[in-house]
Amino acid sequence: MFKKGFTGSSKTKLKTSVQRSLRAKLVEQFPLLAPHIDEILPKKSQLSLLKAPERLSLYALDNEVLFFQHHDDALFPSLRLVHKFPDCFPTVQIDRGAIRFVMAGAMLMCPGLTSPGARLPAEGEGYGTGAVVAVNAEGKENACMVGMLKMGTDEIKKVNKGVGVETVHYLGDGLWRLDAD
Amino acid sequence: MADTEEVVGPPEPQARRVLYCAICTLPPEYCEFGTTSKKCREWLEMNHSELVPAEAAMARKALKDEAKQERELAKKLSSPVILKRVERTKRKHVIVITGLEAFGLDLKKVAKEMGKKFACGASVTKGVGGAGDEIVVQGDLGGELRGWIEERFEEVPSGNMEVVEERRKKKEGQ
């Protein structure tokens, strides 16, 4: 989504009512985030909205993009936020060999998620299709990508072929390099 | 408000502080996957020596990256900036500047600044025939612009700059 660098258009301040609904939506989408929501989005804070090409909206606080969303779809956390609160987002892990491709912006293929170095949630506790996940890497502390599941995690284990996670935002992409000023 | 705060106390900040490499902006553990792994390593050794990864692998890739960067740098240093003086009507000229984008400058911002500095119109237009974008400055400012660019943007070597004159507009097609 952000493979190319881009420049956001004008920055506008968000209405408090919109900000409140956004907050509710966040907690709904990422229940684990609830205890930290006050730290991420303090009640009195003033979020700003940056518009990017292709109907992307970026929500920034103090010149740091926290979340973004396409049109009215699911919200995605930015990687810097995932790094700060790694336990608040559903996570999968990829093996070392796949890192290289992720950093080049490729889609995540199933074998990279099922090999010994990778980790998927156990059967039954997995996430369904379309879930927003942070992607960790083997032997690394910090997440390297935020993506959307193309198949449920259980299905990934079964099929083990083709695209497993759609890359949305990865380390070093346009959003990572974006200067929200 | 103040009372409740005293009772509860400010919540402990939970956010993890993550260190980012100053060279490639990634977390240091991902430096090796960037294109500046060698420089990143040097930076890490200088600033956060405790974090330097133990294995000295990836040497071949690092060398390759380095060579690539050197080539890019050489290319950058030799890329010309051309200030072309084009006649609009009789005795009226515009200056067309090409080649600035090779130095990583944001043309839009540069154009705006030029317009402010010289009190004239300055815009970014698409280059002819797939060439890079160019800045069009309204006014006969060739020499002044050259001096200003030299002063303002140190990364642009003055030897690369060239002021060219173009007599008639028809010549542009050739």
Side-chain angles (χ1 to χ4, degrees), chain B:
Chain B
M1 265 315 274
D3 288 8
T4 48
E5 258 176 20
E6 267 174 30
V7 177
V8 182
E12 201 73 4
Q14 300 286 313
R16 267 182 42 199
R17 290 185 66 88
V18 182
L19 175 79
Y20 294 116
C21 172
I23 308 288
C24 61
T25 70
L26 307 180
E29 49 185 10
Y30 286 103
C31 279
E32 53 179 315
F33 295 98
T35 50
T36 52
S37 49
K38 193 164 177 208
K39 270 196 199 131
C40 292
R41 208 191 158 87
E42 278 163 16
W43 175 83
L44 207 60
E45 271 164 11
M46 294 262 286
N47 296 289
H48 300 274
S49 49
E50 74 281 1
L51 287 173
V52 176
E55 84 266 42
M58 312 287 293
R60 227 181 78 214
K61 188 171 173 290
L63 274 177
K64 222 166 113 189
D65 281 339
E66 206 184 359
K68 195 175 158 200
Q69 266 159 34
E70 248 165 50
R71 244 177 302 147
E72 261 166 28
L73 190 72
K75 201 173 151 197
K76 199 168 142 184
L77 284 178
S78 64
S79 69
V81 174
I82 297 170
L83 298 110
K84 196 160 52 173
R85 179 164 175 263
V86 183
E87 196 170 351
R88 270 275 169 238
T89 59
K90 253 187 192 148
R91 292 172 45 232
K92 302 271 187 203
H93 298 87
V94 294
I95 305 288
V96 179
I97 305 167
T98 47
L100 271 184
E101 72 276 3
F103 298 94
L105 298 173
D106 186 350
L107 290 188
K108 256 189 188 165
K109 278 181 189 160
V110 176
K112 179 92 189 161
E113 219 169 305
M114 283 177 179
K116 262 187 201 163
K117 168 79 187 162
F118 296 105
C120 64
S123 59
V124 180
T125 52
K126 285 259 166 5
V128 194
D133 289 359
E134 47 195 31
I135 301 180
V136 178
V137 183
Q138 297 178 347
D140 192 358
L141 296 160
E144 287 164 71
L145 264 175
R146 184 183 176 148
W148 179 77
I149 292 174
E150 261 170 46
E151 228 173 82
R152 176 74 179 70
F153 305 107
E154 280 164 8
E155 63 266 42
V156 182
S158 62
N160 290 9
M161 253 184 294
E162 206 179 342
V163 182
V164 192
E165 193 143 336
E166 195 170 78
R167 282 268 168 230
R168 253 168 280 128
K169 265 216 101 183
K170 275 178 197 162
K171 268 193 180 168
E172 235 178 291
Q174 281 178 0

